[in-house]
Amino acid sequence: MAENDGQEKARWITTVIVSSSLQDHEISVSLQNQQHRIRYSDSVETGSIIFSLSGVAFLLADVQDLFLTNGELFFDRIKRFMTIHRNGFLLLSAALHGIKEWDLMFRIQQRFLGSNLRIIPIHNTAEAVKLMLTIAKTTSKPYLDSIRYRMLMARTQIVEQSPVWKMLHQSQLDCSLLNTS
């Protein structure tokens, strides 16, 4: 069966708060081209992209830039980002994730072990935008409620049609008949 009876799916459009440092970045242009409302801010962490209605934030970092700068400054930036955003993702951008890039990710993971920071390697702008929109959309209230409902219905259907459930239900009926006799 075709989704929505062959009609085009409604596009998901939201407001995105973007660090002013990313004003001319490809990600900002791509989000604008997809009709999202972009609000630039100087008060958010440099490299931040925030989907406030979804409660998720992303910190964009280019791996090559990190190799050229002081690592402690970057770790401080991540720390400030994590104190503000409880649902934060670090997007590490590199055309190719080789040994040096994976080593950097490992050091970041070790440094922030126990925090709620999730590190996601990305290769290009299209991949980054698709990933951010997927995460933001699935964590937004209407979609989250829909996903929860569908999972509940699937679980109910699985349980009700399960042979184990039927056997347990039958044994429960047998026990209740024995207790009433």
Side-chain angles (χ1 to χ4, degrees):
M1 182 173 147
E3 194 163 282
N4 295 335
D5 296 325
Q7 296 176 1
E8 185 177 323
K9 289 195 309 186
R11 288 179 43 102
W12 182 72
I13 297 175
T14 189
T15 300
V16 185
I17 301 168
V18 178
S19 167
S20 295
S21 65
L22 298 175
Q23 196 159 1
D24 296 325
H25 196 276
E26 291 176 43
I27 287 182
S28 298
V29 173
S30 181
L31 288 168
Q32 284 177 331
N33 288 341
Q34 294 183 28
Q35 309 303 314
H36 296 285
R37 293 174 295 280
I38 307 296
R39 303 289 179 256
Y40 294 103
S41 175
D42 292 324
S43 62
V44 299
E45 189 63 42
T46 302
S48 295
I49 302 164
I50 304 162
F51 292 82
S52 55
L53 294 177
S54 300
V56 294
F58 301 90
L59 181 62
L60 183 65
D62 188 330
V63 173
Q64 297 307 317
D65 292 344
L66 298 178
F67 290 142
L68 301 175
T69 62
N70 182 354
E72 286 304 313
L73 292 175
F74 179 64
F75 288 147
D76 289 341
R77 209 170 113 204
I78 295 172
K79 187 175 181 180
R80 282 192 307 271
F81 177 79
M82 291 309 301
T83 57
I84 296 168
H85 305 286
R86 63 181 175 83
N87 198 5
F89 296 84
L90 174 62
L91 301 179
L92 285 177
S93 176
L96 176 66
H97 292 279
I99 294 171
K100 290 183 351 183
E101 290 80 5
W102 288 111
D103 182 55
L104 175 65
M105 276 189 263
F106 180 68
R107 287 188 320 187
I108 295 169
Q109 284 176 331
Q110 281 183 315
R111 180 75 176 257
F112 293 95
L113 191 64
S115 74
N116 56 350
L117 177 68
R118 278 133 323 179
I119 303 169
I120 303 174
I122 58 171
H123 297 96
N124 55 45
T125 301
E127 184 179 64
V129 170
K130 183 177 179 182
L131 173 97
M132 288 188 299
L133 291 175
T134 300
I135 292 171
K137 183 178 178 180
T138 56
T139 56
S140 67
K141 179 88 171 106
Y143 286 91
L144 190 60
D145 289 344
S146 173
I147 291 169
R148 283 185 181 142
Y149 175 75
R150 287 186 289 184
M151 290 180 73
L152 178 65
M153 295 307 295
R155 188 183 83 186
T156 302
Q157 187 177 13
I158 290 167
V159 167
E160 286 178 355
Q161 295 180 0
S162 166
V164 174
W165 176 256
K166 289 177 182 173
M167 182 183 72
L168 288 172
H169 186 65
Q170 185 61 39
S171 67
Q172 191 176 34
L173 286 176
D174 292 344
C175 286
S176 64
L177 288 175
L178 290 175
N179 290 336
T180 58
S181 303

